[in-house]
Amino acid sequence: PMAMKPFCGYNMGDYWQHWLDVGDNLGYNQPRMFYVNWFRKNAAGKFIWPGFRENCRVLKWVCDRLDGKVGVRTTAIGGIPHQNDIDVTGLNISSQDMSELLSVDVDGWKKEIPDLRRHFGEYGSHCPTRILKQLDGLQSRLSQNQNTSRL
């Protein structure tokens, strides 16, 4: 439920707090959150994932995850599917490409932290503390992986 800043009728920090409060009131029934980047590119600048018609394979993994049928590999940014848990039957995608898709660019994430802090800082005291604590936690987890540029 994140609206674009120009279309939000009130302070975005208050807006975020509203949705945090809604989530708190839902308790166990709150929706689970998954982040997917369909647009990762390889070193040659080509999209790695085959495209929209194959997105259902990732969505199947999401459903399997919600049903407790598959686990995750824990990383600094959250749980990542195990490579064998995404069905790639019939796809022309290499194991190397799947490894790249399921990797975490630690250095790239670290570079985002200052921009995120500036962005959230725009909202001053209106920015929910929970968001800033999450950002602190992310930075800490990324720092623990200082010897690894990719996970």
Side-chain angles (χ1 to χ4, degrees), residues 93-146:
I93 189 165
S94 70
S95 178
Q96 181 181 355
D97 282 344
M98 284 301 293
S99 292
E100 179 63 22
L101 282 170
L102 299 174
S103 69
V104 176
D105 180 358
V106 173
D107 291 338
W109 278 90
K110 285 179 178 179
K111 289 177 186 172
E112 292 291 324
I113 298 289
D115 287 338
L116 290 168
R117 288 203 185 282
R118 274 191 295 280
H119 175 70
F120 292 135
E122 291 179 19
Y123 304 100
S125 64
H126 289 269
C127 186
T129 305
R130 285 166 56 184
I131 289 178
L132 299 175
K133 284 182 180 180
Q134 284 293 323
L135 185 57
D136 290 341
L138 173 63
Q139 186 170 19
S140 175
R141 291 187 304 275
L142 291 168
S143 294
Q144 292 172 11
N145 294 297
Q146 59 192 346

Side-chain angles (χ1 to χ4, degrees), residues 32-43:
R32 304 305 180 254
M33 305 293 270
F34 293 85
Y35 169 79
V36 179
N37 181 355
W38 304 111
F39 305 105
R40 288 196 61 178
K41 293 182 180 182
N42 61 20

Side-chain angles (χ1 to χ4, degrees), residues 36-114:
V36 179
N37 181 355
W38 304 111
F39 305 105
R40 288 196 61 178
K41 293 182 180 182
N42 61 20
K46 303 277 187 190
F47 291 111
I48 303 172
W49 188 247
F52 293 114
R53 68 188 175 279
E54 305 302 343
N55 291 355
C56 61
R57 295 166 187 266
V58 175
L59 297 175
K60 181 184 181 313
W61 176 85
V62 167
C63 291
D64 287 348
R65 176 72 181 134
L66 292 171
D67 291 340
K69 296 177 183 176
V70 295
V72 295
R73 180 173 57 92
T74 302
T75 73
I77 64 168
I80 303 280
H82 296 287
Q83 187 168 332
N84 293 337
D85 288 340
I86 296 180
D87 180 10
V88 293
T89 304
L91 289 183
N92 185 21
I93 189 165
S94 70
S95 178
Q96 181 181 355
D97 282 344
M98 284 301 293
S99 292
E100 179 63 22
L101 282 170
L102 299 174
S103 69
V104 176
D105 180 358
V106 173
D107 291 338
W109 278 90
K110 285 179 178 179
K111 289 177 186 172
E112 292 291 324
I113 298 289

Side-chain angles (χ1 to χ4, degrees), residues 22-35:
V22 167
D24 291 342
N25 290 329
L26 292 174
Y28 180 77
N29 294 318
Q30 62 185 275
R32 304 305 180 254
M33 305 293 270
F34 293 85
Y35 169 79

